[in-house]
Amino acid sequence: MLPFLDGLRDINFFSVLVRMLAAVFCSAVIGLERSIKNRPAGFRTHILVCVGAATASLTGHYLYLVTRLPTDMTRIGAQVITGLGFIGAGTIIVTRRHTVKGLTTAAGLWATGVIGLAVGSGFYEGAVIGTILVLIAELFFTDIGKKIRSTPEFSALINYENKQSLDHALRYIKDRDITITALQVSSANDSGEYVYSALVRLRPNSNLQPAQLMDEVRDMTGILGADVVKVKDKRIAE
């Protein structure tokens, strides 16, 4: 720890003022970046979250150190972290294309709240380092994240004769390094005979042509048909 900051770790008017101003500064820097990118939670929201968290942390320290009440000074801060989850959830949306947006903003709000707790407790070094790292992640890691390409998921409709045929097909798909993210099975009585079908959501972990995979599955014993389909049902699309 930095020795010249030791005088600001006590609970007095000057140290409280410094901590509040530090909370405003750290959160303003993070919130400004979000506002420039026109995100749901921007400049003011980050300041309010950080100042509120710092006040909660200071209140816990005040009750324990000044009023000498028999209380746990970390309890209020712990409740702040829980409450930040509800605030962050409000920034997360699912678009019509079933893509999730707002996760970075929600994580940034949570991190800003924790930075506020650090400032309120007098841990200035951790708050400053945390602010710098959050900024680095939001400013510079965005381009790196875009360069990491992931193979898009697709849905497949598989018609089969019995459960063993489906199990064999799904095992074959997994052996091809493909993750099954969702499965929806249905059956229908067609002219006295049951027809079974499975709607499967697949995520390839390597370069794979969906049409080629369906051709391979279609040639398996007990498989009546296998095709790539477009799905509008959110339960299988997500």
Side-chain angles (χ1 to χ4, degrees), residues 10 22 40 43 49 51 55 64 69-71 91 94 99 102 116 122 140 146 192-193 195 209 212 220:
D10 298 329
F43 186 71
V49 167
V51 170
T55 304
Y64 181 78
L69 291 176
T71 181
T91 67
V94 180
T99 59
F140 302 106
K146 291 180 179 179
E193 295 183 359
V195 177
Q209 297 297 327
Q212 179 183 353
M220 299 178 66

Side-chain angles (χ1 to χ4, degrees), residues 20-43:
M20 288 298 187
L21 293 178
V24 172
F25 174 78
C26 292
S27 58
V29 172
I30 298 174
L32 183 62
E33 186 273 339
R34 294 284 89 187
S35 292
I36 292 175
K37 293 185 177 180
N38 196 26
R39 295 299 187 263
F43 186 71

Side-chain angles (χ1 to χ4, degrees), residues 75-96:
R75 178 175 296 180
I76 299 179
Q79 299 304 316
V80 169
I81 294 178
T82 303
L84 288 173
F86 292 96
I87 298 176
T91 67
I92 301 174
I93 59 174
V94 180
T95 66
R96 293 182 178 180

Side-chain angles (χ1 to χ4, degrees), residues 46-238:
H46 281 75
I47 291 178
L48 291 174
V49 167
C50 195
V51 170
T55 304
S57 182
L58 276 167
T59 301
H61 283 72
Y62 180 83
L63 292 176
Y64 181 78
L65 298 175
V66 179
T67 64
R68 302 295 181 180
L69 291 176
T71 181
D72 183 1
M73 62 181 179
T74 63
R75 178 175 296 180
I76 299 179
Q79 299 304 316
V80 169
I81 294 178
T82 303
L84 288 173
F86 292 96
I87 298 176
T91 67
I92 301 174
I93 59 174
V94 180
T95 66
R96 293 182 178 180
R97 296 182 179 180
H98 309 298
T99 59
V100 180
K101 290 187 175 182
L103 284 175
T104 301
T105 301
L109 275 176
W110 183 86
T112 302
V114 176
I115 290 172
L117 292 176
V119 173
S121 64
F123 186 27
Y124 302 102
E125 297 89 346
V128 173
I129 294 174
T131 301
I132 294 173
L133 292 178
V134 169
L135 276 177
I136 291 175
E138 293 184 348
L139 288 173
F140 302 106
F141 288 179
T142 302
D143 295 334
I144 297 177
K146 291 180 179 179
K147 292 179 180 179
I148 302 175
R149 297 181 180 179
S150 58
T151 307
E153 295 185 0
F154 65 94
S155 297
L157 181 63
I158 302 175
N159 298 320
Y160 57 97
E161 293 180 352
N162 49 55
K163 184 178 182 297
Q164 289 74 19
S165 301
L166 177 63
D167 290 341
H168 183 58
L170 295 179
R171 192 177 303 111
Y172 175 79
I173 291 173
K174 290 181 179 179
D175 291 341
R176 292 291 306 273
D177 196 24
I178 300 173
T179 303
I180 300 174
T181 60
L183 175 64
Q184 183 176 325
V185 178
S186 61
S187 62
N189 193 336
D190 186 13
S191 301
E193 295 183 359
Y194 279 96
V195 177
Y196 302 96
S197 61
L199 189 58
V200 190
R201 188 72 175 171
L202 305 173
R203 181 191 299 130
N205 296 318
S206 58
N207 294 328
L208 174 76
Q209 297 297 327
Q212 179 183 353
L213 176 65
M214 292 299 101
D215 290 339
E216 296 172 0
V217 173
R218 199 179 298 115
D219 292 337
M220 299 178 66
T221 303
I223 301 299
L224 304 177
D227 297 287
V228 178
V229 295
K230 293 183 178 181
V231 180
K232 296 182 180 179
D233 190 350
K234 292 183 179 180
R235 292 175 297 177
I236 195 73
E238 295 175 355

